[in-house]
Amino acid sequence: MARRRGGGNRPVRMKDVAKDLNVSVVTVSKVLRKHPDISPATRKRVLKRIKELDYQPNWIARSLVTRRTYIIGLVVPDLMHSFFAEIAKAIAQKVRPKGYIVVIANSDEDPKSERQEIELLLARRVDGMIVASAQPPGQTGIFKRIRGREMPFVLIDRLFPTLDVSYVGVSDEAIGEMATEHLIERGCQWIAHIRGHQITTGIGRLKGYRSALERHALKVPDRYVVKGGYGDTTGYDTMKKLLRVKPRPDGVVCYNDPVAAGAIKAIVEAGLDIPSDIAVIGAGNVRYSDLLRIPLSTVDQSSGLIGEQSAELLLELIESKRRPCPQKILLSPKLIVRDSSKRDGF
Amino acid sequence: MARRRGGGNRPVRMKDVAKDLNVSVVTVSKVLRKHPDISPATRKRVLKRIKELDYQPNWIARSLVTRRTYIIGLVVPDLMHSFFAEIAKAIAQKVRPKGYIVVIANSDEDPKSERQEIELLLARRVDGMIVASAQPPGQTGIFKRIRGREMPFVLIDRLFPTLDVSYVGVSDEAIGEMATEHLIERGCQWIAHIRGHQITTGIGRLKGYRSALERHALKVPDRYVVKGGYGDTTGYDTMKKLLRVKPRPDGVVCYNDPVAAGAIKAIVEAGLDIPSDIAVIGAGNVRYSDLLRIPLSTVDQSSGLIGEQSAELLLELIESKRRPCPQKILLSPKLIVRDSSKRDGF
DNA sequence: GGCTATTGAGTTAGCGTTAACTTTAAGGAT
DNA sequence: ATCCTTAAAGTTAACGCTAACTCAATAGCC
């Protein structure tokens, strides 16, 4: 009994292509998959008919059989941060030629919401995932769950050292060190640090900040290190607090560029000059960083490269039969000096 | 004959849940779909077993039967423009509770690449699409194709007036008018305009710019209107050209904020003061706009609202049996005055 | 008590494709 | 002529799920 829902003209199926050609569905399927079975003559006939009917293979049906969705999940903490937007773009560009599409999930820096997003992607049976995680350092449960499902995945930006998984990012310690080192060279003595939350990147950069100070035998009390968030508003608020610390800081290493942008606003509003009173440096080399009130010195994390490399790694994990060993790729940060730190050294 | 590929422990299926419970697969399916057939007792037993086995329904198989993918395609010209990133975020947030995921495709402002992305989404049989199109005004072929496929879709940001489709955005003419009007009020006489390319938004804003000038009986020669691109670099270059126009413009209406940011850079580099020498206004109220070198006046396009509304519209199109009529929603722009235009009027 | 609803299941038949196997016909070697 | 190989198809049975239908048992009614 023909059972046909909805009145509309349904999409063309292989069956339709095969019918007037007097070939079987399998023949059409084989043509599409470039199976060597088919003779050039038949292939040509089939291809012609496919074009005539504007046939497009049904990915869903195909997925059901092959167990491949050709969907890649990307989980980021904040798509509006151009750092992640650029990564997303690079990933999509990299995987597109191979037929993959990218689903982007936002966690809003919330560990729980991130876990939900990941669960959803698991349920959707994506072929692999790339995750910039907002989980606190110890919390690796969700990653173990991903691995339990035998789902290929690559972590980016935020490293979980105890976990043996593929990773692409820059060394956060190097970032913190490079930024701090730069301010020291520029003659800053009382260098403050607006740090991120308890996630790995925040800790790494703090560590780098400390080790740079130590190497130069600079003693800076703990009150110069304050917790900020990830955005400009928190950067603004935190900087205001820092301005009351005595002696006043003459340099600030910010967790990232948005925070730095907020900090700059606070400093300018206080009537102070950047960089002569206070030098500022951020991280991430966010778009517009050089268009800010005071062009912002920053440490570049080469987001495009992170996207590309992670996509490459993931594709390898997905497409190779024998799962390759997890690989950790550490890219090196790059110092970009703009006005916000351009002051004479000693 | 059992035919089982790959050694691994395959995901749990309905069959597995049903087996030791002595119920049929359909019963399990009905429980999951909240079908009223099932008694509370059976439902409970099934739910318990589902949890025990950590069963997750297979979306692919479900899609094949229901002809619904619960995937929504979003096509934007540039994900790195925070205007679009915010829209993307808002859309994802809106549709997530209903079980949809969002696939983001970047067209890079290239009409051809946009068409390819749309074709891909069609082939993937997404449930609906939201498109901020980069097609030139006349080119509506691709939209007709989408409609031919009976695929629900909503245009955003860029309107194609000749097309009878759903749309959400702000009136570009209103944007251009509001921005220009503002500069006139602030006493600018020689107001230049850096316009976008030949896409609808560019034309609309130009029109608004012209009608505002007209209403105030201001005669501004055509050489004050120059074509820019969409980004800061082109804004920078174009502004440099504008600075050589005599008499020098004392106000610039920029196509969008990135262009304005570039223009600001050029003006400042030329040793001129903003806003006393030249007032600048952009459009889009991009993140960081108030953190720019000179905090940028702008016309807000309420990107979040665009995302929300378009998602709502699309869901209606998808979920209602009888396709509702195309609806055009025009949001009103909002003037945001910051330093770049804060000068005394006449 | 016989007849008709109602409840709570189960049966059957796909959805559109592919993997694995089978078939047919032609060609070549012996 | 017989056997074996190969090329070029076709057949069959899933993939995991749901829609539509069927069925049995209980309940309700006069």
Side-chain angles (χ1 to χ4, degrees), chain B residues 62-115:
Chain B
R62 187 178 276 180
S63 284
L64 190 56
V65 181
T66 60
R67 295 164 197 294
R68 299 282 311 282
T69 54
Y70 281 87
I71 300 179
I72 283 175
L74 171 65
V75 184
V76 294
D78 181 10
L79 191 57
M80 290 196 54
H81 194 323
S82 73
F83 173 67
F84 293 115
E86 192 167 354
I87 289 179
K89 204 170 159 180
I91 292 175
Q93 240 164 44
K94 190 85 190 175
V95 301
R96 175 59 37 93
K98 299 215 166 190
Y100 293 85
I101 55 177
V102 179
V103 171
I104 299 182
N106 231 296
S107 70
D108 275 317
E109 295 285 5
D110 175 35
K112 189 176 163 199
S113 140
E114 177 182 298
R115 287 195 294 271

Side-chain angles (χ1 to χ4, degrees), chain A residues 220-287:
Chain A
V220 176
D222 278 351
R223 63 178 184 281
Y224 284 78
V225 176
V226 286
K227 256 181 211 170
Y230 305 107
D232 40 32
T233 53
T234 54
Y236 176 78
D237 296 340
T238 314
M239 191 64 223
K240 273 189 156 173
K241 273 182 233 153
L242 268 178
L243 286 173
R244 288 196 295 271
V245 173
K246 301 282 166 188
R248 202 180 63 210
D250 55 1
V252 194
V253 173
C254 298
Y255 172 68
N256 62 15
D257 284 358
V259 167
I264 286 181
K265 194 178 173 191
I267 295 171
V268 171
E269 276 184 20
L272 296 170
D273 186 71
I274 298 172
S276 69
D277 290 324
I278 305 180
V280 179
I281 186 164
N285 191 21
V286 150
R287 207 182 192 184

Side-chain angles (χ1 to χ4, degrees), chain A residues 9-10 54 56 67 69-70 80 96 99 117 124 145 149-150 265 287 290-293, chain B residues 9-10 54 56 67 69-70 80 96 99 117 124 145 149-150 265 287 290-293:
Chain A
N9 45 342
R10 289 235 265 78
D54 188 27
Q56 286 186 311
R67 295 165 195 293
T69 54
Y70 280 88
M80 291 195 53
R96 176 58 39 94
E117 297 290 339
R124 289 295 192 124
R145 188 161 152 70
R149 289 280 183 129
E150 296 186 15
K265 194 178 173 191
R287 207 182 192 184
D290 76 322
L291 300 165
L292 288 178
R293 197 163 306 192
Chain B
N9 46 342
R10 289 237 263 81
D54 188 27
Q56 285 186 311
R67 295 164 197 294
T69 54
Y70 281 87
M80 290 196 54
R96 175 59 37 93
E117 297 290 338
R124 288 294 191 124
R145 188 163 152 70
R149 288 282 183 127
E150 295 185 15
K265 194 178 173 191
R287 208 183 191 182
D290 76 321
L291 300 165
L292 289 178
R293 194 163 309 190

Side-chain angles (χ1 to χ4, degrees), chain A residues 181-237:
Chain A
E181 190 94 27
H182 172 62
L183 292 191
I184 295 173
E185 267 169 24
R186 291 300 174 138
C188 298
Q189 296 274 353
W190 300 98
I191 299 174
H193 178 38
I194 303 181
R195 51 170 301 202
H197 280 132
Q198 272 300 38
I199 52 165
T200 55
T201 46
I203 293 171
R205 288 172 201 187
L206 173 61
K207 212 166 154 190
Y209 160 82
R210 288 226 166 99
S211 66
L213 290 177
E214 240 169 67
R215 191 169 41 241
H216 290 263
L218 281 178
K219 271 275 181 205
V220 176
D222 278 351
R223 63 178 184 281
Y224 284 78
V225 176
V226 286
K227 256 181 211 170
Y230 305 107
D232 40 32
T233 53
T234 54
Y236 176 78
D237 296 340

